[in-house]
Amino acid sequence: MGAAEDMRMDGRRLWLFKSEPSVFSFDDLLASKKQETFWEGVRNYQARNLLRDEIAVGDGVLFYHSRFQPMAVVGTAVVVQAGSVDPYQFDPKSPYYDSKASKDAPRWYGVTICADKALPRPVTLQALKAGVVGLEDMVLIQKGSRLSVQPVRPSEWKIVLKLGGIG
DNA sequence: GCCAACGTTGGC
DNA sequence: GCCAACGTTGGC
């Protein structure tokens, strides 16, 4: 990954969030109150660190549908609230419950995002992997990559949006 | 549904 | 602190 400045576009950083549409889809986001949602349930430390420490208000998000045909980037969103404690870790009835987390020492964090644009043409994983110049290093298409919250370079962001019919 | 690639846990 | 066993992710 390049220098920090290289990762910014107009002063903001860019990310890709994966979601299984059977759990929460981009349409669900569009249908949400204020088209916002708290991104709960991330239970991976690397992704947690990004959510807690790196992702800031105003950052851009590519919304990606995983484990569903077609797997694709389907829209964009904007971060409207930075890292805060994920309350589901304290709820024994939640699938995201973590018995080792306590309110004094929370483990898991999330951010709040607001829908920005649906892509006129979803950009499929297949298309992203088809050898697009400039996407060779995109985290999403690296072998074995399964980070559910991952950084996106401005150059990659622009290519994906263009493929999606924006800009 | 399968399973390879990762990540986490826990015994030692 | 190693690493085997186990659990999870996510493309296929």
Side-chain angles (χ1 to χ4, degrees):
Chain A
M1 210 63 53
E5 312 83 70
D6 298 338
M7 295 305 289
R8 291 182 188 272
M9 184 178 70
D10 304 328
R12 61 187 196 140
R13 285 198 280 182
L14 306 166
W15 312 95
L16 180 145
F17 287 12
K18 292 180 189 172
S19 187
E20 296 186 35
S22 61
V23 178
F24 191 84
S25 70
F26 193 70
D27 281 344
D28 291 331
L29 179 61
L30 292 174
S32 298
K33 189 180 170 192
K34 295 166 71 182
Q35 298 195 331
E36 287 183 10
T37 195
F38 179 71
W39 203 257
E40 78 267 13
V42 173
R43 297 291 180 267
N44 167 281
Y45 287 104
Q46 202 178 341
R48 185 281 307 270
N49 292 345
L50 296 176
L51 291 166
R52 187 188 60 189
D53 306 328
E54 302 292 335
I55 299 176
V57 170
D59 284 1
V61 174
L62 294 176
F63 197 111
Y64 175 80
H65 282 168
S66 65
R67 288 183 65 95
F68 179 82
Q69 292 299 338
M71 290 169 284
V73 177
V74 294
T76 65
V78 178
V79 176
V80 294
Q81 183 177 32
S84 51
V85 171
D86 180 344
Y88 293 87
Q89 67 193 301
F90 308 126
D91 178 1
K93 292 190 288 292
S94 168
Y96 302 131
Y97 177 62
D98 183 345
S99 62
K100 302 219 176 103
S102 69
K103 296 201 174 175
D104 289 341
R107 277 190 169 185
W108 307 112
Y109 289 75
V111 300
T112 301
I113 65 171
C114 178
D116 187 7
K117 298 190 179 85
L119 294 188
R121 281 179 286 126
V123 182
T124 64
L125 181 65
Q126 190 181 28
L128 293 169
K129 285 179 142 178
V132 181
V133 174
L135 296 184
E136 297 84 356
D137 297 327
M138 191 173 183
V139 175
L140 182 70
I141 64 173
Q142 302 309 305
K143 184 172 164 60
S145 165
R146 61 182 211 188
L147 199 56
S148 65
V149 172
Q150 53 181 251
V152 174
R153 296 171 183 79
S155 55
E156 295 164 346
W157 175 276
K158 287 171 190 160
I159 292 168
V160 172
L161 262 56
K162 191 160 191 176
L163 290 172
I166 292 179

